[in-house]
Every structure is written in C-alpha cells, then in structure tokens.
Amino acid sequence: MALLPDSSPSSDRPAPAAEQANEAIRALVDATGPDWSAVEAATYEVLLIEWAAATRGDPDIIEAA
C-alpha cells in the first residue's frame, strides 16, 4: 500500500492504525532475511491481523505490504 502525500485530504488517507501496522510490516520485512524465525513469522501474522482489522471496509485498500 502506498501512502498518500501529506497534501491529500485526511478523508482520503488510511486510518492511522492501518498506516502504523503497514509501516511495522514493512520494517519487519526490510529487517529480516527470507528465512524468518518462528517469532518473526508470528509477529508478521499479528501485524497482518491488525492491518486487516484497521482497513476492513475501506474499498481503497486492496492488499498488505
């Protein structure tokens, strides 16, 4: 999901919780190699659930990081 420029109306921006979860997912993916530990995989799953909950019902968001 690409974040919208700061000049966008706030109603067009994802919810702050969705942005935070998305950034956390990106940071996790960027910080880890292709072989995740069980803890990293579990962390990803939790973040993905948080992201999905924050974006539920938003037709503009179609996929996670």
Side-chain angles (χ1 to χ4, degrees), residues 30-55:
D30 288 345
T32 58
D35 298 320
W36 288 4
S37 69
V39 171
E40 292 164 337
T43 300
Y44 174 79
E45 291 297 324
V46 169
L47 291 170
L48 188 59
I49 290 166
E50 289 176 6
W51 177 87
T55 60

Side-chain angles (χ1 to χ4, degrees), residues 3 5 8 10 12 14-18 20 24 27-28 30 32 35 46 51 53 56 58 60 62:
L3 297 179
S8 297
S10 61
D12 291 343
Q20 290 173 350
L28 176 66
D30 288 345
T32 58
D35 298 320
V46 169
W51 177 87
R56 191 167 289 126
D58 188 337
D60 293 331
I62 57 172

